[in-house]
């Protein structure tokens, strides 16, 4: 009887382990919420970097303050981003994919900026983003960039996590509307 219980336990463990391995293989191809946030942070920083390099000394000064204010969060986020690329592609290919993503993101920011008539608006938008980020009540970088839409293709399958990845300033999405609290029995009529 003991051997039967042992055999049944081993069989159950094997089945559970097989399901776990299958789940890991599916989830290992997906980005976590922290990784998606790191993609968003990187895309916003690439947009702001392009603005800092081309929109004048005021924007360059804002970028320097932004980097100083958020340097620790930027480093952590960048480490998560690099780790994601390495996890998905292996060390060498992951390093190349990471570099390629960052280069592509800043090149795409430049393309958006140099479209005829777009430069002034690009710079104004960057100034709005810097003003919000550098406000006296310092936001958390990941929370802040989640409200900054960026037109950049996600480099990874989000597995249903959507990234609003062009620098349009901080805004609320059009599908978000406040709703009134439903009436409760304790409310006076």
């Amino acid at each position: 009887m003991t051997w039967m219980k042992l055999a049944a336990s081993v069989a159950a463990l094997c089945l559970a382990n097989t399901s776990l391995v299958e789940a890991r293989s599916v989830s290992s191809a997906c980005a976590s919420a922290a990784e998606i946030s790191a993609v968003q942070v990187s895309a916003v920083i690439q947009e702001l970097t392009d603005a800092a390099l081309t929109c004048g000394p005021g924007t360059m000064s804002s970028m320097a303050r932004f980097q100083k204010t958020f340097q620790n969060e930027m480093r952590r986020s960048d480490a998560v981003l690099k780790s994601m690329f390495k996890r998905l592609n292996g060390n060498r290919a992951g390093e190349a994919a990471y570099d390629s993503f960052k280069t592509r993101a800043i090149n795409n920011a430049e393309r958006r900026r140099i479209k005829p008539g777009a430069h002034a608006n690009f710079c104004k938008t960057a100034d709005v983003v810097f003003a919000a980020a550098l406000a006296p009540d310092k936001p958390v970088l990941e929370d802040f960039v989640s409200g900054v839409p960026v037109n950049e293709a996600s480099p990874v399958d989000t597995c249903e996590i959507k990234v609003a990845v062009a620098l349009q300033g901080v805004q609320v999405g059009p599908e978000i509307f406040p709703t009134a609290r439903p009436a409760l029995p304790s409310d006076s009529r």
Side-chain angles (χ1 to χ4, degrees):
M1 187 70 135
T2 306
W3 284 104
M4 290 177 71
K5 286 182 183 177
L6 181 60
S9 297
V10 168
L13 276 173
C14 287
L15 283 174
N17 197 27
T18 301
S19 299
L20 185 62
V21 168
E22 288 173 3
R24 277 191 190 143
S25 68
V26 170
S27 67
S28 68
C30 302
S32 68
E35 291 168 337
I36 294 301
S37 179
V39 169
Q40 181 79 7
V41 167
S42 181
V44 169
I45 290 171
Q46 298 310 310
E47 294 261 348
L48 294 175
T49 299
D50 185 67
L53 294 171
T54 60
C55 293
T59 309
M60 180 63 87
S61 174
S62 294
M63 184 64 178
R65 285 181 44 227
F66 180 87
Q67 288 175 321
K68 184 176 181 183
T69 300
F70 294 104
Q71 69 183 8
N72 291 335
E73 292 169 90
M74 288 169 49
R75 283 187 183 135
R76 269 192 308 274
S77 179
D78 198 56
V80 168
L81 184 69
K82 186 178 272 192
S83 174
M84 176 194 73
F85 279 110
K86 286 182 175 184
R87 176 179 61 81
L88 294 172
N89 301 300
N91 272 341
R92 178 173 280 155
E95 199 66 56
Y98 164 83
D99 292 338
S100 179
F101 170 72
K102 293 191 101 169
T103 300
R104 186 175 56 252
I106 199 162
N107 287 341
N108 288 341
E110 179 184 28
R111 281 189 201 101
R112 286 188 286 277
R113 179 185 45 79
I114 64 173
K115 283 184 181 175
H119 181 79
N121 188 47
F122 184 87
C123 293
K124 285 180 191 174
T125 302
D127 290 340
V128 168
V129 172
F130 280 127
L134 299 171
D137 188 18
K138 177 189 174 269
V140 173
L141 182 62
E142 288 82 3
D143 295 341
F144 174 75
V145 300
S146 70
V148 182
V150 177
N151 293 326
E152 189 59 51
S154 179
V156 66
D157 185 355
T158 60
C159 300
E160 302 306 316
I161 299 174
K162 301 296 181 197
V163 178
V165 190
L167 202 51
Q168 298 174 7
V170 178
Q171 61 187 16
V172 174
E175 70 280 352
I176 301 172
F177 296 100
T179 56
R181 178 180 63 82
L184 299 174
S186 62
D187 290 345
S188 60
R189 298 192 190 246

